[in-house]
Amino acid sequence: MAVGISYVSVYDNHGIFRKNNSHLLEEIMRKQQDLLGVDGSKHNVEFLSNGSDKHQHHVVSCRPTVKVLSPDDGKQSIVQAAQQLCRSVENKERSSRDISVTMLDIMLRESKNVPDPELVVKFGPVDSTLGFLPWHIRLTEFISLPSHRNVSYEDLFGALQRYGACQQRLGQ
Amino acid sequence: MSWIREGELNLIEKISANVLKAGPMPKHVAFIMDGNRRFARKKNMGRQEGHMQGFNKLAETLRWCKHLNIPEVTVYAFSIENFKRTKDEVDGLMELAKQKFERLLEERDNLEKHGVCIRVLGDLNMLPLDLQQVIAKAVLTTRVHNKCFLNVCFSYTSRYEITNAVREMAWGVEQGLIKASDVSEPLLSECLYSNNSPNPDLLIRTSGEVRLSDFLLWQTSHSCLVFQSVLWPEYSFWNLCEAILQYQLNHKSIQKARDLHREHQASLQLEADRACVAEHLQHHGNGKPLDAQRRQEALLHYTACREERVQDFLESLKHKRDSYFNNLCSEAVLA
């Protein structure tokens, strides 16, 4: 929030964040109170945890957003979108030839409404995405920090600086 | 220069290889061979020369993989995004690819001797026809070889590959081969261009970039990712050993995560089958609830039918893909 990042998602491959998301929200609110005191309420975080969140047209909104993700938001979401498309083909509402990358992309955005992350900060020793949003991470930069325990502002800021140095050529 | 490099490892390399081989070894390694152009700038050579050096490094890497008993390698040779480059560079890369695949055909005896199977994955119909034809020949010539496998991703992005898989499943529904309810994660995997390969155990990207650039996003969800700063044409046997060591350090945790995912996937499938059976009984039953044994029988029967449907669909898909290559080859002969 301090550096102007408006959308943050959290993920773990056991789905623990998802199962305890109210606990997470409480913690965030408590920390905000501790750190910002009275001003805390001016910066209310928008907390999204299930798939059917209200439609957001702009990623950069006034309220910072925290989204909780689990493995089901990954491949399983793609499978669900595929099933939906196949059902509409079954009902003769469309032809298989109509199915395009753009169409699938729009469907995934409508169902889960998660923007492509520009940066993933990965905590822990495992060098893998462990099922995190396969479709959305095609251009995501990955920066690893050893642990989320006692992570400092300097650690995170360092990660952001490294992100800033990345140059994407986008195929060119 | 050739695709196949002969030659043993030197003594130190051999010893290191044996040390590594005492631990778990990846059976499938994927490479994002990044850094050819930066290498060319560094050495004051033209881009085309940089790409040639990149190809030579690929051949050398295959030799190392053979000595490390790594039977399958997948490489990202040309992304659909790369079509955005200047016409000169794109034409140069197409020409290089054509030369290399033609060279491959000249070496067919050597490829047979080493049992090398070459596959090319991507939206190949975006490529110039003459390149498609020579690729088809290379793929068909080496298709029965089974000692080691090289998958070249050319005119490829992961999103296009996943979309194509979804389109194929929709085609299967259109043809009446499968139902929409048969769509599942394993079925989608079977419809990817890479369906003949196990998922990569290890993905290596060179040149210091720390992103996946739309490469095998589905297949590498539970792979060990290693980002190395060395430029691809400067890649060494030691860089490869370092990556394999990372794989070994991650092996147990990643294996656990893979098992967890597989169990979850299996329970989702079971749940889906149960739901289909319940719906079927509702519509076709006589209103009386079935006892547990009958329900179980119905479930087993449904699962068996679904699996048979899916097998037939996958056979048809295979046949469709084979026809694409066969037609290209016969066109080339007639031309």
Side-chain angles (χ1 to χ4, degrees):
Chain A
M1 273 166 57
V3 297
I5 295 171
S6 57
Y7 199 105
V8 169
S9 63
V10 292
Y11 173 87
D12 76 285
N13 83 308
H14 290 277
I16 291 172
F17 278 131
R18 171 64 70 79
K19 290 181 202 143
N20 296 291
N21 66 63
S22 52
H23 196 102
L24 180 62
L25 178 59
E26 273 168 34
E27 274 300 312
I28 292 174
M29 282 168 43
R30 195 172 62 76
K31 263 281 142 81
Q32 260 192 309
Q33 276 281 57
D34 288 348
L35 292 169
L36 301 172
V38 181
D39 290 340
S41 56
K42 287 196 202 137
H43 306 279
N44 262 333
V45 164
E46 187 167 3
F47 193 83
L48 308 171
S49 75
N50 64 34
S52 51
D53 302 316
K54 64 184 188 297
H55 215 67
Q56 237 183 311
H57 290 284
H58 305 290
V59 173
V60 182
S61 63
C62 301
R63 281 176 74 190
T65 309
V66 173
K67 175 101 181 183
V68 176
L69 296 170
S70 73
D72 286 338
D73 298 307
K75 285 182 177 175
Q76 200 47 37
S77 293
I78 301 173
V79 170
Q80 278 164 1
Q83 265 175 347
Q84 215 178 316
L85 287 169
C86 286
R87 268 197 294 270
S88 64
V89 166
E90 216 166 39
N91 298 332
K92 311 251 193 271
E93 289 157 18
R94 74 169 105 233
S95 145
S96 66
R97 274 190 296 268
D98 299 334
I99 295 172
S100 67
V101 175
T102 317
M103 184 183 283
L104 196 48
D105 194 40
I106 290 174
M107 283 190 72
L108 286 168
R109 256 158 243 308
E110 273 174 5
S111 73
K112 288 291 165 180
N113 202 19
V114 180
D116 291 356
E118 285 130 321
L119 170 64
V120 159
V121 179
K122 184 181 69 62
F123 297 101
V126 181
D127 294 314
S128 171
T129 57
L130 296 180
F132 178 71
L133 296 185
W135 180 270
H136 297 72
I137 55 172
R138 75 180 168 121
L139 294 177
T140 306
E141 305 285 344
F142 290 88
I143 291 177
S144 292
L145 292 178
S147 176
H148 61 288
R149 293 184 208 284
N150 296 320
V151 69
S152 70
Y153 178 75
E154 286 80 19
D155 296 333
L156 277 177
F157 197 72
L160 288 172
Q161 280 181 315
R162 272 155 65 192
Y163 170 74
C166 290
Q167 285 178 322
Q168 297 213 343
R169 293 173 292 278
L170 298 168
Q172 289 176 304
Chain B
M1 277 215 84
S2 167
W3 288 68
I4 310 262
R5 297 293 149 82
E6 308 279 355
E8 296 295 313
L9 298 177
N10 67 36
L11 182 63
I12 300 191
E13 287 170 347
K14 246 190 217 153
I15 293 172
S16 309
N18 286 333
V19 169
L20 281 177
K21 284 195 260 188
M25 289 294 282
K27 297 185 196 52
H28 179 181
V29 178
F31 290 92
I32 300 181
M33 309 180 291
D34 199 6
N36 292 342
R37 292 184 296 178
R38 271 167 282 173
F39 173 79
R41 270 202 300 277
K42 187 168 147 185
K43 301 283 178 186
N44 285 319
M45 47 170 75
R47 282 182 171 184
Q48 193 68 357
E49 177 63 29
H51 290 306
M52 295 272 268
Q53 292 301 327
F55 175 80
N56 293 338
K57 188 53 66 175
L58 170 60
E60 221 186 328
T61 304
L62 295 176
R63 181 175 74 88
W64 298 328
C65 287
K66 172 165 159 271
H67 289 299
L68 290 163
N69 296 341
I70 298 171
E72 189 147 14
V73 170
T74 301
V75 298
Y76 202 3
F78 190 85
S79 163
I80 292 177
E81 301 291 325
N82 295 149
F83 280 118
K84 291 191 229 163
R85 294 183 180 183
T86 63
K87 185 175 188 305
D88 276 344
E89 190 174 349
V90 173
D91 288 347
L93 287 165
M94 294 293 134
E95 189 51 41
L96 177 64
K98 190 157 152 245
Q99 277 169 23
K100 292 307 174 189
F101 281 108
E102 276 165 355
R103 180 65 205 257
L104 196 111
L105 290 168
E106 286 165 25
E107 296 187 282
R108 79 183 69 192
D109 291 336
N110 215 359
L111 291 170
E112 190 172 337
K113 171 175 155 211
H114 293 274
V116 181
C117 173
I118 308 266
R119 302 181 188 119
V120 181
L121 317 180
D123 280 36
L124 304 179
N125 46 27
M126 290 183 168
L127 299 170
L129 185 61
D130 56 353
L131 180 51
Q132 287 186 54
Q133 283 166 343
V134 78
I135 285 174
K137 267 219 209 105
V139 167
L140 288 177
T141 305
T142 61
R143 102 153 5 135
V144 290
H145 302 162
N146 61 4
K147 284 234 264 310
C148 52
F149 304 90
L150 171 62
N151 308 306
V152 181
C153 289
F154 209 89
S155 182
Y156 173 95
T157 67
S158 198
R159 284 192 179 183
Y160 268 77
E161 184 187 25
I162 294 170
T163 304
N164 180 263
V166 174
R167 207 183 296 122
E168 297 289 24
M169 292 190 292
W171 170 78
V173 167
E174 243 164 22
Q175 300 294 310
L177 296 166
I178 49 170
K179 307 189 208 190
S181 57
D182 295 336
V183 169
S184 68
E185 193 183 307
L187 182 57
L188 202 154
S189 299
E190 290 284 351
C191 295
L192 296 169
Y193 297 134
S194 62
N195 62 358
N196 289 315
S197 307
N199 288 335
D201 297 304
L202 172 58
L203 168 57
I204 298 169
R205 180 173 188 149
T206 55
S207 89
E209 306 295 347
V210 291
R211 55 184 178 267
L212 300 174
S213 297
D214 220 340
F215 181 57
L216 303 180
L217 301 174
W218 180 278
Q219 296 90 327
T220 58
S221 64
H222 290 79
S223 304
C224 178
L225 303 182
V226 175
F227 297 107
Q228 297 179 291
S229 53
V230 61
L231 299 175
W232 175 250
E234 294 175 325
Y235 203 68
S236 74
F237 179 74
W238 306 110
N239 293 131
L240 182 56
C241 289
E242 192 185 8
I244 293 173
L245 198 57
Q246 277 300 104
Y247 166 79
Q248 293 184 332
L249 292 170
N250 276 280
H251 181 250
K252 274 216 177 72
S253 327
I254 291 186
Q255 196 53 51
K256 254 173 76 178
R258 277 190 182 186
D259 292 340
L260 183 69
H261 183 79
R262 202 172 322 138
E263 273 164 34
H264 183 61
Q265 170 51 44
S267 74
L268 282 177
Q269 183 68 75
L270 187 58
E271 220 177 281
D273 283 350
R274 279 215 172 97
C276 285
V277 170
E279 200 186 319
H280 180 86
L281 290 175
Q282 211 175 27
H283 289 144
H284 301 275
N286 55 10
K288 286 206 292 259
L290 286 186
D291 62 27
Q293 194 195 347
R294 293 278 163 79
R295 271 205 308 273
Q296 185 63 9
E297 279 169 15
L299 179 63
L300 288 173
H301 177 74
Y302 178 82
T303 303
C305 289
R306 176 179 56 71
E307 285 171 357
E308 198 182 324
R309 257 195 320 269
V310 160
Q311 274 313 113
D312 289 343
F313 159 66
L314 291 174
E315 271 301 310
S316 300
L317 180 58
K318 180 174 179 306
H319 183 77
K320 195 160 73 137
R321 288 183 174 168
D322 290 347
S323 300
Y324 163 76
F325 285 115
N326 285 324
N327 292 342
L328 278 171
C329 271
S330 46
E331 269 169 35
V333 167
L334 290 171

